[in-house]
Amino acid sequence: GMSARANALTAALEAADYKGLVQAVPYATYLGLVVELAEDGSRRYVMDFRDDLIGNSSLPALHGGTVASLLSLAMQFEALIDMPAPRLPDPVDVTIDYWRSAAPVRCTATARLIRSGRHVAQAQAVCYQEHANRPIAFGRSAFVLRDV
């Protein structure tokens, strides 16, 4: 049978309940991830700045790991939401390219599926802070799709 987590994910997906989707993923909840719907129907994944997300206190910059996590979760959620049937996307190969250091302000990520097959999906994501045209990091990920 399906696990409680799979049930929670499936229910959230069917209702397009993005808050419920985040709550079903403990690490997304920890990061305070919020899924915003843009005017064109696309999604933005927003992570507000918190002091405990700082990597280096002498240089107030967001920890690289939190930026990587935001990008990874954005791609994973995008893969989840895009699936016709609920499948759990397991990241198998995640690459993060850092272009600029992250300031201690909110981060926004957008993601898109560039390939979605029966067993494997691939996604790309970009993370920016104040300006969408000044990205701070990019992500690519491949996912193996497991039936829930």
Side-chain angles (χ1 to χ4, degrees):
M2 292 214 295
S3 68
R5 175 163 171 245
N7 279 328
L9 281 173
T10 305
L13 284 167
E14 283 171 359
D17 168 17
Y18 296 136
K19 203 170 178 174
L21 200 57
V22 169
Q23 281 166 351
V25 180
Y27 193 60
T29 306
Y30 163 73
L31 287 177
L33 187 71
V34 175
V35 185
E36 292 181 350
L37 215 50
E39 300 72 35
D40 64 0
S42 66
R43 287 163 291 275
R44 285 190 296 258
Y45 299 88
V46 179
M47 180 180 71
D48 270 323
F49 176 74
R50 293 200 315 260
D51 280 343
D52 63 328
L53 298 178
I54 280 192
N56 176 350
S57 53
S58 63
L59 170 81
L62 265 177
H63 190 287
T66 55
V67 173
S69 298
L70 173 63
L71 284 166
S72 299
L73 285 166
M75 292 185 283
Q76 199 163 16
F77 279 135
E78 208 55 30
L80 258 174
I81 291 164
D82 205 62
M83 293 296 132
R87 322 270 285 291
L88 287 177
D90 263 352
V92 286
D93 185 21
V94 182
T95 307
I96 307 292
D97 296 316
Y98 298 98
W99 280 34
R100 302 181 170 85
S101 102
V105 296
R106 76 190 314 208
C107 285
T108 301
T110 56
R112 64 189 186 104
L113 244 53
I114 51 175
R115 175 166 173 252
S116 182
R118 276 175 56 81
H119 305 291
V120 183
Q122 283 176 308
Q124 286 178 335
V126 60
C127 177
Y128 61 90
Q129 292 191 303
E130 284 96 345
H131 307 290
N133 60 354
R134 288 191 80 235
I136 61 167
F138 293 89
R140 295 189 297 287
S141 185
F143 297 97
V144 172
L145 306 174
R146 289 187 301 116
D147 293 323
V148 291

